[in-house]
Amino acid sequence: MTTTRTIKRLKQDASDLKKEKNVALNQALNLVAEKYGYESWQSLTKNATDGKVTITTSEAQEKTLNQQNKELLAEYGIDFSVLIITATGIKKSIMDAVGSLRHFLVEEGFHNYEDQKQGESYKVLKPCQLITSEKILNKKVSLYRPVTKKGDPRIWVYGLSSHVRADDELTFFIVDDLLYVLNLNSVDISDYKDLLFELKQSLDETAIELRDKLIEIAKQPLKSIMKGDTAIGMTIEHALGLTANSSKKPDYKGIELKSGRITKSKTRSNLFAQVPAWDKSVLKSSREIVDSYGYPDKDNGDQRLYCTVNVSNFNNQGLRLVVDLENDKVYEEHEIDGLIVVWEGQKLRERLLEKHHETFWISANVNIINGLEFYSLNGFTHTKNPMEHQLLPLIKQGVITLDHLIKRKNETGRTSEKGPFFKIKPQDLEMLFPEPVFYSLVKD
């Protein structure tokens, strides 16, 4: 069977193949081209039009595409129903609305065949969107019950015949009372990431607005407005027109922004900062912690405690975390002194929900030009509604860790702590947030 793919998608396939087979990129590109009936990548690209090329797929590849489409729809949180079209259906321009589809249409408030009378005069026509390999077409869907055949429910999408073949599986999904129709066997829905994102956020204009602003500022590298660990976040917020403040509330109209550099070590991202419950702890302040377990700064003599603490083992300062799920508490323990501070699980969950009801986790590549940092935005992961009761179990599993950043000035004795920060690696976000969605800001 022939269908179309975008050059962008095929390049990504080649990139994945390069990693899988440990081959050079040009070799991977040629392997992808050969897979789809071309002699070489150069031959494939010569046949491309408007960034797309016609390819030949085998039956096995079609099944893979079918499954990939279903998985992607599920990833974006889009519920759907499926229907297999027959040769007779294509010829007569009719499809039986099977029970699962009828139930789906009722639950979505789109159409109820039980309330519909038989006959042509009671046919219902509604607008719909037919997603094809080339573009999305504005069509109409017909829903009716014929006088014959006991009034068995029927459905048909106008103009569908030229985009299907017998035994293709169609999927139907509804957003804002508009029906979308997709041939799972021939159309790669990943070519329509913009559409998927907007469908997922159809009721969230703020997320669309922020996404569009990031697309705009990602067109050119951003020159850093300052130095230090927070430079990338401050620079992106400045580019978005946001004013720096110390509020614990989310940054952009209720959406939290977390920005990080892309590194080989996959730097952890801050979830939130939260001090212990001092009134229930052995040590009563950050100063007592740094005085007990800190170390002198070799440059100025300040007392510091900059370290990561996890459940796995005691760190160089003799500190580790202990999670008590039975009593809903997280402790910090010293290998000699025992338990020194405690966090209440309820307070930690409240901070998570307060900070990350909705978040854009922005990633960027860093380039140094004439000694100055420039940030090229790579993309962002969008999360909503964290599974707060997974927080303590993830700390116990070592997925979420804690960082101290405490400093006591030698001259004044003034103590400050930026955290303690509870952190997580970007690749582990899906363990805390349902269906995180990645949106690329890198355009070919």
Side-chain angles (χ1 to χ4, degrees):
M1 177 185 175
T2 60
T3 185
T4 62
R5 290 284 192 283
T6 62
I7 297 297
K8 178 180 178 180
R9 173 57 188 268
L10 294 176
K11 283 183 178 179
Q12 183 59 55
D13 290 347
S15 179
D16 294 340
L17 191 63
K18 173 180 178 292
K19 296 176 183 177
E20 178 186 339
K21 294 186 174 295
N22 193 27
V23 297
L25 180 58
N26 65 332
Q27 185 178 352
L29 289 168
N30 286 329
L31 289 172
V32 169
E34 292 169 8
K35 175 181 177 181
Y36 293 123
Y38 291 88
E39 292 183 359
S40 65
W41 180 256
Q42 183 179 14
S43 173
L44 183 149
T45 54
K46 282 183 178 179
N47 286 275
T49 303
D50 295 327
K52 294 185 177 182
V53 65
T54 300
I55 63 171
T56 301
T57 59
S58 67
E59 183 178 349
Q61 289 165 346
E62 286 177 49
K63 290 181 180 179
T64 301
L65 177 61
N66 182 302
Q67 186 60 34
Q68 287 175 347
N69 281 330
K70 290 178 180 178
E71 291 174 357
L72 196 56
L73 288 171
E75 178 184 332
Y76 277 78
I78 299 172
D79 198 5
F80 58 89
S81 182
V82 296
L83 184 64
I84 296 176
I85 188 168
T86 64
T88 301
I90 297 172
K91 183 178 180 180
K92 295 185 176 181
S93 296
I94 58 171
M95 292 184 291
D96 291 328
V98 297
S100 58
L101 177 59
R102 296 199 304 272
H103 184 68
F104 175 76
L105 297 178
V106 170
E107 284 200 337
E108 294 292 323
F110 188 78
H111 184 72
N112 189 343
Y113 283 101
E114 294 296 324
D115 297 334
Q116 186 176 17
K117 295 182 180 180
Q118 294 175 237
E120 188 72 19
S121 59
Y122 297 102
K123 179 183 292 186
V124 174
L125 291 178
K126 289 191 174 187
C128 72
Q129 301 272 282
L130 177 59
I131 304 173
T132 75
S133 297
E134 300 297 329
K135 58 184 177 180
I136 300 175
L137 305 175
N138 294 315
K139 296 292 184 179
K140 289 185 178 182
V141 60
S142 169
L143 306 122
Y144 65 101
R145 298 181 63 200
V147 176
T148 59
K149 300 286 186 180
K150 298 181 182 180
D152 290 341
R154 302 283 175 76
I155 185 171
W156 185 253
V157 177
Y158 289 13
L160 180 65
S161 297
S162 59
H163 299 283
V164 293
R165 64 174 184 171
D167 298 324
D168 276 350
E169 190 172 24
L170 306 181
T171 185
F172 299 81
F173 53 93
I174 299 166
V175 180
D176 293 339
D177 202 37
L178 181 61
L179 180 71
Y180 292 80
V181 184
L182 167 74
N183 187 336
L184 291 167
N185 295 72
S186 65
V187 181
D188 189 346
I189 192 62
S190 69
D191 290 338
Y192 293 96
K193 285 288 186 69
D194 285 1
L195 170 67
L196 289 173
F197 184 88
E198 293 189 15
L199 292 180
K200 180 177 175 62
Q201 308 304 335
S202 60
L203 301 179
D204 192 345
E205 295 180 359
T206 302
I208 300 298
E209 177 185 295
L210 179 55
R211 189 259 335 238
D212 290 345
K213 285 191 175 184
L214 289 174
I215 289 174
E216 188 62 31
I217 67 173
K219 291 179 179 178
Q220 299 293 334
L222 302 176
K223 180 182 176 182
S224 179
I225 63 171
M226 59 181 290
K227 295 182 179 180
D229 294 337
T230 62
I232 183 169
M234 297 294 288
T235 300
I236 292 174
E237 290 179 20
H238 180 265
L240 289 169
L242 302 177
T243 304
N245 63 75
S246 58
S247 172
K248 292 183 178 181
K249 295 181 178 180
D251 303 301
Y252 189 91
K253 300 181 181 180
I255 299 178
E256 178 73 7
L257 302 180
K258 288 294 182 183
S259 304
R261 298 167 172 82
I262 296 177
T263 64
K264 292 182 179 179
S265 61
K266 296 183 179 180
T267 303
R268 294 165 300 142
S269 298
N270 290 340
L271 281 171
F272 55 83
Q274 181 58 47
V275 298
W278 297 121
D279 61 330
K280 298 178 181 179
S281 300
V282 175
L283 300 184
K284 302 299 183 181
S285 67
S286 295
R287 175 164 184 164
E288 289 189 23
I289 295 177
V290 73
D291 283 349
S292 299
Y293 309 114
Y295 48 86
D297 189 309
K298 62 181 180 180
D299 295 326
N300 52 34
D302 293 345
Q303 187 78 351
R304 295 163 61 106
L305 181 61
Y306 283 30
C307 66
T308 296
V309 189
N310 59 46
V311 297
S312 301
N313 45 54
F314 291 106
N315 65 14
N316 291 337
Q317 281 67 46
L319 300 171
R320 74 173 180 183
L321 296 178
V322 176
V323 179
D324 181 355
L325 295 178
E326 179 69 25
N327 294 297
D328 197 31
K329 300 180 188 299
V330 176
Y331 295 93
E332 187 167 17
E333 179 185 31
H334 186 262
E335 59 184 338
I336 296 175
D337 299 334
L339 303 178
I340 56 173
V341 294
V342 60
W343 288 265
E344 298 284 357
Q346 181 60 31
K347 182 62 178 179
L348 294 178
R349 289 189 292 273
E350 288 175 359
R351 286 291 293 124
L352 174 66
L353 292 172
E354 175 187 13
K355 198 68 174 175
H356 292 294
H357 171 68
E358 184 172 10
T359 305
F360 276 29
W361 307 81
I362 305 167
S363 58
N365 289 298
V366 181
N367 296 300
I368 307 297
I369 303 176
N370 296 327
L372 299 174
E373 279 193 340
F374 287 80
Y375 309 121
S376 298
L377 302 193
N378 176 70
F380 64 85
T381 298
H382 185 199
T383 61
K384 297 180 71 173
N385 304 320
M387 298 177 284
E388 72 267 27
H389 291 288
Q390 297 305 308
L391 182 61
L392 264 62
L394 289 175
I395 297 174
K396 188 176 181 66
Q397 294 170 36
V399 174
I400 295 174
T401 55
L402 178 141
D403 275 17
H404 279 302
L405 295 171
I406 312 176
K407 179 168 61 176
R408 177 175 55 77
K409 287 286 188 180
N410 184 42
E411 295 180 355
T412 64
R414 182 177 179 272
T415 303
S416 62
E417 177 166 15
K418 296 178 182 179
F421 286 116
F422 288 84
K423 294 191 171 190
I424 190 170
K425 291 182 178 180
Q427 64 267 31
D428 293 327
L429 288 175
E430 62 184 12
M431 301 177 72
L432 188 60
F433 298 91
E435 299 172 347
V437 175
F438 178 75
Y439 187 93
S440 176
L441 295 170
V442 178
K443 302 300 181 182
D444 288 344

